[in-house]
Structures are given as C-alpha cells and as structure tokens.
Amino acid sequence: MTEATLYGRHRSVMPDWMSLYYQDPLELVSGKGRHVVGGDGRTYLDFFGGLLATMVGHDIPEITEAIRAQAGRIMHSSTLYLIRAQVELAEKIAARAPIDDPRVFFVNSGSEAVETAFLLTSCAKSSNQVIALRGSYHGRSFGTVAATGIRGWSATSLSPLQVTYAHSGYKYRSPFGHLDDDAYTAACADELRTMIETSTSGNVACFIAEPVQGAGGFATPPDGFFLAMQEVLREYEIPFVSDEVQSGWGRTGRSWFGIEHYGVRPQAITFAKGLANGMSIGGVVAEESLMNSLTANSISTAGGNPMAMAAGNAVLDYIEDHDLQSNADRVGALLSDGLRAIADRCPLVGEVRGVGLMIGVELVLPGSKAPAASATTAVLEEARAAGLLIGRGGLHGNVLRVTPPMTVTAEEATEALTVLESVLMKVSAAARA
C-alpha cells in the first residue's frame, strides 16, 4: 500500500483537525537508534523523536526486552491491585523530584496528567481559578485547552476553569524584551502581582508553567524568572505546578526536571511523553498534603499499567546508566552553538534558543521580526527531502523544533547541522527573491 493510498484512507475516517506534517504525509514503519524508515522506503535522521516522546531512541534493546518480558507475564490489572513495577517507578520518581514528601499518581498522557493537577489543586483550594502563562501548551482535553495560551491550540472559550494569563519568559516578542534579564524578570513578577490583585479573587487554585515552553517554541526564561514568580505566589499561598511533560527526565541537560535549574521546589510536577519512550504514560508527583486532598475515590484503569511501568523503569535506568543527561548537555550545546553560527549568516533566523536537546529556531522575514510561517513549512519540507525530520511550533507556527533523542551522537548532530545550514540558506534565498 502506498502512502498516498493510506493518506486517502486516513482522510476518510480521521477528523479534519487532526493535522499531519508534510504536503505528502509520511508513515514511519521502523526505527533504530536515531534513524527511522518511512513508508516511502527512505531512511531519515530523526531529530523530532515522536514529538519528544521517543526519549532515548528507537529499538533500544534494554527497553524493548523489558516490555517484551512484562507482556509475557501480565499486560493489565488496573490500580485496584498492587502493581510491583508501579511502586518501583514511583519510588524512582519520588527520589528524583524536587518535591517535599512526594506522592505519585500515574495516568495515560500529558493532558490527563495536567487535568489531574487541576483536580488536585482546585479541590485543595476550593477554587477553579488558575494562572497560566502566555504561549503555554498544556494539552488537548477540555480543562487543559482552557489553560493553553496559544490561539492555534485553543478550540473553545468554554471551560471548567477561570484562567488568567501572566507574562512568560519569551523575551523575543515581549513588550519588556528590551530590558536586561533582571529588569525583565522584575517587570514580569510585578505584572503577576498586579494580575492576582486585579484579575482574580485572590484564592487561586494554582499557577502552572512549563520550564521551557514546548509548543510555544521553546521559550526559555532568564535564570531568575521562576524564582521571582514563586516569591509572588507565596505571598498569596498559590501552589506552583511545573508542567514537565516535555522538559522532564534530563532532556534539558541540567537536571531530572527542568524547574530544578531555576531553584524552585514546586508543589506538583506533571510528566508524560519520554518517560516510557513512546508508550502511553503520564502522571503527577505532588506534595503529600496536596495529593491526598481529594475527598472522593479515584483510580486509574490503565494508568500505572504493568506494560508502561516496565518501560518507564527501563527508561530511567537507561538514562542513568548511560549518563544521558550529560550527553544532552554536551550535544545540545554543540547543536545550539552550530545553529547560532548559522543564524549569524542567515537573515531568515531571528533567534536560536532553548537548552539541552530542546532547541527552537525562530524564523522571520529577513530584516524584520515578522513571523515567517510559510518559510518554516518550506524548511520542514526541504529538511525531509534531505533526510532529516524536525518539528515546528511557536505562537505563529514559525519556530523549528530540534529535539533528537537523548542518545544522539556528536556526529549525528554535525550531520543535522549540515542539512539545516543548506536548507535554511536555500529557503532564505527564496524568501529574499
């Protein structure tokens, strides 16, 4: 069956709003390491990692074998029974999370993890008011869409939450962008205090933030940003929820969780994606008093299932055993430095930002800050033609997302930089023509 035939079948049964990359959509049929084979028979260097979920690469023997072994014993039981692998994984997460007296609850996705955090905090505070950040993305479910600060991902104004959007760490398009980092941080913290005083009742369920905004285009705040925000939150006893669905498990090259770099100990952390290297998983690790604030029964039929738990345990062990956090830092720096060198020569690139293996390249019309969304689409197409898969994001859809698995090598990073330089220069020349 050709990909064109498969695409036709896809369109006849899938929703119109379920978007696909590329003019001729691509099926991935197999993978090994950082390479995947498409339905077109071509091999690609994968620098998107299944939307950051393929954390340590494709067909990693230790992870595949852990899943296979568990499948041979039992695949499902529900959380009404003791699950040994669930307890083991919760212990590992609790030991690594910057949370006081942590408790862990597993679900099936990032959206469900954030919904759980909203449930916990709204019950604990008897409030449905939430403060989120502009440019944020927290999921595709009813409550999480309400807290998503990107128009292109927010389908409805109807919501169980009352959301106030505070300023984020995205300086490039900020009205405070001309300030140095300390002054920028102070302005954002002052704005947060003003918004609490004028746009809320004062009894706020939580403040939720991604340490590095994912779909927002990998906006990376100044180092003092979140600590200053937390100081304001403490004045009003507002819990801090760190959304680590994309930034968790060492991908930033700094720590197990992205928020640790900022010196913040949140009250809850949401996680998902890369923890099981692509298998469905999600969860919340929260302070004991917050986690136990629910006054009704709650279980998860498939959250904490033995298959996902086996994968999660194997992934964390693999990351630690192979020191992949250091690799993310080292190779991420190589990629960032290389992309900034390209930006110096390419007027299409407005900014390169990010940390570790979460790198964003914002494209603009040469000589301006006007978003170059069509050029971004062209770069994705040209990169695929050259054998490289990357992603896109940003408020205006004009940010390239470069997110290889944490096992990526320096040689593969150099190969990707060669492709990206060629493609960016080609598309830049076309944009100026």
Side-chain angles (χ1 to χ4, degrees), residues 76 78-79 83 106-108 112 280 299-306 308-309:
H76 176 72
S78 93
T79 56
I83 303 173
F106 292 104
V107 291
N108 301 288
E112 193 179 349
S280 296
I299 63 170
S300 185
T301 301
N305 75 84
M309 297 299 99

Side-chain angles (χ1 to χ4, degrees), residues 130-364:
V130 167
I131 298 173
L133 296 184
R134 301 165 195 173
S136 60
Y137 176 83
H138 296 295
R140 47 150 296 281
S141 57
F142 192 39
T144 59
V145 163
T148 289
I150 303 174
R151 172 64 189 86
W153 289 104
S154 186
T156 177
S157 63
L158 302 175
S159 169
L161 304 173
Q162 294 183 28
V163 182
T164 299
Y165 289 100
H167 211 89
S168 74
Y170 177 35
K171 288 185 68 176
Y172 186 69
R173 296 187 182 280
S174 168
F176 305 145
H178 62 286
L179 302 174
D180 64 33
D181 284 356
D182 289 344
Y184 178 89
T185 294
C188 291
D190 184 63
E191 183 199 45
L192 174 62
R193 184 179 289 104
T194 300
M195 296 182 79
I196 294 171
E197 291 286 347
T198 62
S199 302
T200 77
S201 68
N203 180 33
V204 178
C206 71
F207 168 93
I208 186 167
E210 303 159 274
V212 179
Q213 289 189 331
F218 292 152
T220 310
D223 283 351
F225 181 85
F226 284 121
L227 199 57
M229 302 296 262
Q230 188 179 51
E231 288 174 0
V232 175
L233 298 174
R234 282 174 175 161
E235 296 176 22
Y236 299 90
E237 298 182 342
I238 300 172
F240 191 123
V241 177
S242 184
D243 184 344
E244 305 266 0
V245 168
Q246 296 193 34
S247 59
W249 317 118
R251 175 174 281 280
T252 63
R254 294 170 163 174
S255 49
W256 283 104
F257 294 97
I259 200 63
E260 294 177 80
H261 173 78
Y262 296 95
V264 169
R265 291 184 71 82
Q267 281 63 61
I269 294 174
T270 62
F271 57 82
K273 285 191 184 286
L275 176 57
N277 206 43
M279 291 195 69
S280 296
I281 197 168
V284 178
V285 52
E287 292 179 354
E288 185 272 340
S289 59
L290 177 58
M291 184 66 82
N292 289 338
S293 65
L294 296 189
T295 57
N297 292 328
S298 191
I299 63 170
S300 185
T301 301
N305 75 84
M307 297 287 287
M309 297 299 99
N313 277 296
V315 166
L316 287 190
D317 290 346
Y318 193 91
I319 290 173
E320 195 157 57
D321 292 346
H322 294 81
D323 195 17
L324 294 188
Q325 199 172 120
S326 294
N327 190 62
D329 182 45
R330 183 173 54 255
V331 180
L334 189 158
L335 279 167
S336 292
D337 290 346
L339 286 165
R340 289 190 178 100
I342 294 170
D344 289 340
R345 304 187 298 274
C346 181
L348 186 64
V349 179
E351 182 177 62
V352 175
R353 56 179 176 262
V355 60
L357 296 174
M358 298 181 72
I359 304 170
V361 182
E362 180 147 359
L363 304 188
V364 297

Side-chain angles (χ1 to χ4, degrees), residues 342-419:
I342 294 170
D344 289 340
R345 304 187 298 274
C346 181
L348 186 64
V349 179
E351 182 177 62
V352 175
R353 56 179 176 262
V355 60
L357 296 174
M358 298 181 72
I359 304 170
V361 182
E362 180 147 359
L363 304 188
V364 297
L365 298 181
S368 75
K369 280 192 174 182
S374 60
T376 308
T377 300
V379 169
L380 254 67
E381 293 282 357
E382 293 287 350
R384 175 193 172 177
L388 176 69
L389 305 183
I390 55 175
R392 69 179 295 178
L395 182 62
H396 306 286
N398 65 315
V399 181
L400 305 175
R401 294 210 280 173
V402 182
T403 61
M406 290 175 66
T407 49
V408 64
T409 67
E411 292 75 18
E412 289 164 342
T414 300
E415 178 185 348
L417 286 170
T418 299
V419 171

